[in-house]
C-alpha cells in the first residue's frame, strides 16, 4: 500500500520507534496520523492527532476504533520490555505483564481495526516485532516469548485478512537506540533507519522486513544445521 494520502494509527506513538513512525508518515504524505498513547498529553509531535490508547484496556481500544473510523493503516508498535530469565522468582508475573501488552494488546487492536480497514478498502497492518521473535537467550526471556507470540499472530492475520485484501507486514530488528535499550551495550540501529526500511517494505508490498544485518543473519540461520536459536557449542 501507499503512504501518500493514507490515514494511519500508530500505537505507542509518544516516543522511540512510534514517534519516528509518526514523523516519517507525515513526511511521506499521510493525510492524517493518529498518535496513540496511554497519556495523550505525552504526544508532542506537531501535525498528529493524539489519541488515548492503552492497548491493555479493551475500552480504550474500542473507543479508538470508534473515533478513528477513517484509518487505512494500523502500526502495532506499542510494547514493553524487561530483563530476566524464566527461572527468576518473578518470571510468572513478568511474562503475564509483557504478554498483556506485546501480544494481547496487538491482538485487541487488530480485532478492533480489521473491520475498519475492510470498510476502507483493505489497507494494512504493520506489526513491530523483533529478532527476539526467533531467538531467546534467557536475558530477555519473557520479552522474547511475547514477541514470538506476536510473530505467530502476525502470520495468522495474513491468512485471515487475505480475503479483505489487507496487507500484513511483520517488522523484525535487533536493538534500536530508544529508551527501552538505554542500558544495553552494543550496536544499535537508529529508529529513523528502521522506520524508513519498514515503510519502504510496506509500499513495496512485502510481508516481512528484516531491518538490519544482524536480523538477516539470524533469520538465515534458522535453517542452518545448528539453528541460530540454539546456544553455540563450546
Amino acid at each position: 500500500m501507499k503512504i501518500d494520502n493514507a490515514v494511519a494509527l500508530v500505537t505507542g506513538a509518544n516516543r522511540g520507534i512510534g514517534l519516528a513512525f509518526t514523523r516519517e508518515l507525515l513526511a511521506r504524505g499521510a493525510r492524517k496520523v493518529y498518535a496513540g498513547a496511554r497519556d495523550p498529553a505525552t504526544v508532542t509531535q506537531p501535525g498528529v492527532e493524539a489519541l488515548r490508547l492503552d492497548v491493555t484496556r479493551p475500552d480504550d481500544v474500542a473507543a479508538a476504533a470508534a473515533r478513528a473510523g477513517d484509518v487505512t493503516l494500523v502500526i502495532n508498535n506499542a510494547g514493553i520490555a524487561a530483563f530476566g530469565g524464566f527461572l527468576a522468582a518473578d518470571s510468572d508475573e513478568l511474562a503475564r505483564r509483557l504478554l498483556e501488552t506485546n501480544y494481547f494488546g496487538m491482538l485487541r487492536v487488530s480485532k478492533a481495526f480489521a473491520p475498519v480497514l475492510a470498510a476502507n478498502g483493505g489497507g494494512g497492518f504493520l506489526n513491530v516485532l523483533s529478532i527476539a521473535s526467533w531467538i531467546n537467550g534467557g536475558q530477555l526471556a519473557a520479552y522474547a516469548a511475547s514477541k514470538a507470540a506476536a510473530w505467530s499472530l502476525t502470520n495468522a492475520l495474513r491468512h485471515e485478512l487475505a480475503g479483505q485484501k489487507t496487507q500484513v507486514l511483520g517488522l523484525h530488528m535487533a536493538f534500536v537506540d530508544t529508551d527501552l535499550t538505554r542500558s544495553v551495550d552494543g550496536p544499535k540501529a537508529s529508529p529513523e533507519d528502521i522506520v524508513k526500511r519498514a515503510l519502504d517494505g510496506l509500499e513495496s508490498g512485502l510481508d516481512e522486513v528484516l531491518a538490519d544485518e544482524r536480523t538477516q543473519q539470524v533469520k538465515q540461520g534458522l535453517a542452518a544445521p545448528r539453528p541460530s536459536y540454539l546456544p553455540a557449542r563450546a
Side-chain angles (χ1 to χ4, degrees):
M1 67 171 294
K2 297 301 180 184
I3 304 302
D4 186 52
N5 205 41
V7 177
L9 165 69
V10 182
T11 69
N14 57 325
R15 61 179 185 170
I17 295 173
L19 176 58
F21 265 119
T22 66
R23 290 171 173 163
E24 187 64 17
L25 287 164
L26 291 172
R28 295 192 185 208
R31 175 159 46 94
K32 184 190 296 185
V33 177
Y34 294 100
R38 286 190 176 99
D39 179 3
T42 63
V43 176
T44 58
Q45 169 64 27
V48 303
E49 186 170 330
L51 188 66
R52 182 179 303 280
L53 181 54
D54 180 342
V55 299
T56 70
R57 297 175 60 89
D59 288 350
D60 273 15
V61 175
R67 175 175 163 185
D70 51 348
V71 161
T72 59
L73 171 63
V74 175
I75 299 181
N76 276 312
N77 167 73
I80 56 175
F83 286 95
F86 283 132
L87 299 183
D90 64 344
S91 64
D92 292 32
E93 178 184 350
L94 185 62
R96 288 189 184 95
R97 183 162 63 87
L98 268 65
L99 281 162
E100 186 62 35
T101 296
N102 298 350
Y103 170 70
F104 286 107
M106 184 180 290
L107 175 60
R108 285 188 194 95
V109 171
S110 300
K111 289 175 67 175
F113 277 91
V116 174
L117 296 181
N120 294 326
F125 282 108
L126 194 163
N127 292 348
V128 177
L129 304 172
S130 170
I131 193 174
S133 304
W134 307 314
I135 55 174
N136 193 342
Q139 298 89 353
L140 289 158
Y143 174 78
S146 70
K147 287 298 186 179
W151 179 46
S152 183
L153 168 62
T154 300
N155 293 335
L157 287 174
R158 287 195 194 96
H159 295 278
E160 294 194 46
L161 297 175
Q164 68 176 48
K165 302 187 184 306
T166 296
Q167 181 181 353
V168 179
L169 183 148
L171 170 63
H172 297 265
M173 65 280 191
F175 288 126
V176 182
D177 191 11
T178 67
D179 291 345
L180 287 177
T181 63
R182 185 174 296 165
S183 63
V184 176
D185 293 328
K188 301 173 189 175
S190 75
E192 292 75 19
D193 285 347
I194 296 297
V195 163
K196 286 176 182 177
R197 291 170 187 170
L199 294 181
D200 285 349
L202 184 77
E203 293 199 290
S204 297
L206 299 183
D207 297 314
E208 185 172 77
V209 169
L210 312 181
D212 53 55
E213 185 177 356
R214 174 61 177 153
T215 301
Q216 293 162 16
Q217 292 170 346
V218 167
K219 180 65 181 295
Q220 186 176 15
L222 294 176
R226 186 166 182 80
S228 51
Y229 55 80
L230 295 179
R233 286 186 173 136

